[in-house]
């Protein structure tokens, strides 16, 4: 069974740091682009960051650029995000998601998040 | 960034109803549009990818259509397990962006 399991969430004070992990199993982790997506309480889904299958390309949302660092260890089948200088507005459930690529009927490469973790809650509060 | 606008934000419907949710993007994204279903306390689940392709295991009452800037998710006959929040998402560019969600509630 394809599975992603996040861990590392918790309560942290403003300005603090936290590292989230996402352990993958049941699929070839090293071939997938991986993402972090977050969801504030009662709100919608917001994309946070992306890392290429081999770690050679990384992107961030403007809201976390310079504060969050995404990384991966393909030998351990694990995705990470180091979150520094945390703010109240970073409070959310953090999901990791695997982006699968498909060829559409015209032969173009398209993608979607087809595997999601269960999420881990991060609360930033004093 | 590509802005995603879903409508309606919420709707009330009865079991057996036909339900349509629309998603409009701020620029053309060809067919790089996906739909997800999320139930309370659960992770999102992929329903439709590349605008109209049904993900494996998803019931055929779900369908998607559209291209360019206007897209539609249709549930042909609403079932009790379909009451949830639905999100569109573009995979055309980074940052990946989601619609604000459409909550489908029981009438």
């Amino acid at each position: 069974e394809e599975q992603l399991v996040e861990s590392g969430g918790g309560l942290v004070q403003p300005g603090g740091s936290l590292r989230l992990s996402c352990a993958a199993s049941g699929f070839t982790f090293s071939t997938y682009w991986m993402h972090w997506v977050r969801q504030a309480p009662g709100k919608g889904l917001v994309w946070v960051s992306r890392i290429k299958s081999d770690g050679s390309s990384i992107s961030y949302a403007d809201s976390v650029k310079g504060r969050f660092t995404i990384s991966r260890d393909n030998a351990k089948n694990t995705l990470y995000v180091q979150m520094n200088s945390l703010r109240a507005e970073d409070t959310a459930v953090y999901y990791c998601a695997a982006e699968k690529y498909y060829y559409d009927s015209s032969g173009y490469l398209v993608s979607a998040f087809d595997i999601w973790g269960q999420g881990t809650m991060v609360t930033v509060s004093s | 960034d590509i802005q995603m606008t879903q409508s309606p934000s919420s709707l009330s419907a009865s079991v057996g109803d036909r339900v349509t949710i629309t998603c409009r993007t701020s620029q053309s994204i060809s067919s790089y549009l996906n739909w997800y279903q999320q139930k309370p306390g659960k992770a999102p689940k992929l329903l439709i990818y590349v605008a109209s392709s049904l993900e494996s295991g998803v019931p055929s009452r779900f369908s998607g259509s559209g291209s360019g800037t206007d897209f539609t998710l249709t549930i042909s006959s609403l079932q009790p397990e379909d009451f949830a929040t639905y999100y569109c998402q573009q995979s055309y560019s980074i940052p990946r962006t989601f619609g604000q969600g459409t909550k489908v509630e029981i009438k």
Side-chain angles (χ1 to χ4, degrees):
Chain A
E1 180 193 3
E2 299 170 335
Q3 194 172 14
L4 293 169
V5 178
E6 299 95 337
S7 59
L11 174 64
V12 61
Q13 292 188 339
S17 298
L18 213 53
R19 188 176 88 151
L20 306 183
S21 301
C22 168
S25 61
F27 65 100
T28 310
F29 175 75
S30 61
T31 65
Y32 276 75
W33 291 67
M34 294 297 298
H35 298 247
W36 288 99
V37 176
R38 69 186 181 184
Q39 187 170 36
K43 303 297 184 181
L45 301 167
V46 177
W47 178 83
V48 173
S49 183
R50 172 185 82 166
I51 185 168
K52 191 178 178 181
S53 52
D54 63 2
S56 63
S57 177
I58 286 172
S59 302
Y60 297 99
D62 287 344
S63 59
V64 306
K65 202 172 293 183
R67 301 188 299 122
F68 288 16
T69 302
I70 191 172
S71 62
R72 64 190 297 161
D73 185 337
N74 285 344
K76 295 182 177 179
N77 289 336
T78 304
L79 173 73
Y80 304 98
V81 63
Q82 175 67 43
M83 304 186 296
N84 298 330
S85 303
L86 283 162
R87 306 166 180 167
E89 54 265 36
D90 296 318
T91 294
V93 174
Y94 284 74
Y95 295 101
C96 58
E99 186 174 37
K100 182 176 181 179
Y101 281 81
Y102 312 76
Y103 283 101
D104 69 4
S105 57
S106 301
Y108 289 100
L109 204 55
V110 296
S111 68
F113 299 136
D114 77 326
I115 308 169
W116 293 74
Q118 85 288 353
T120 188
M121 183 70 203
V122 172
T123 303
V124 184
S125 175
S126 55
Chain B
D1 298 3
I2 296 174
Q3 309 303 316
M4 316 285 289
T5 304
Q6 281 182 239
S7 60
S9 296
S10 64
L11 64 90
S12 295
S14 301
V15 172
D17 284 353
R18 181 182 183 88
V19 169
T20 299
I21 298 169
T22 63
C23 179
R24 178 164 289 176
T25 60
S26 59
Q27 66 182 74
S28 177
I29 59 169
S30 184
S31 297
Y32 292 85
L33 192 284
N34 307 312
W35 290 97
Y36 301 86
Q37 176 194 65
Q38 187 180 35
K39 296 182 179 179
K42 300 294 187 182
K45 173 189 172 184
L46 178 64
L47 297 177
I48 302 283
Y49 61 97
V50 68
S52 60
S53 296
L54 197 65
E55 173 71 346
S56 176
V58 174
S60 59
R61 62 181 180 272
F62 290 93
S63 64
S65 64
S67 67
T69 60
D70 293 289
F71 301 87
T72 300
L73 173 70
T74 299
I75 309 172
S76 60
S77 178
L78 197 65
Q79 298 302 300
E81 60 269 30
D82 301 336
F83 292 94
T85 300
Y86 294 85
Y87 295 92
C88 59
Q89 174 249 331
Q90 61 83 15
S91 59
Y92 182 82
S93 66
I94 288 292
R96 299 284 190 253
T97 44
F98 293 86
Q100 81 278 16
T102 295
K103 187 174 184 178
V104 177
E105 299 176 299
I106 301 173
K107 195 173 197 176

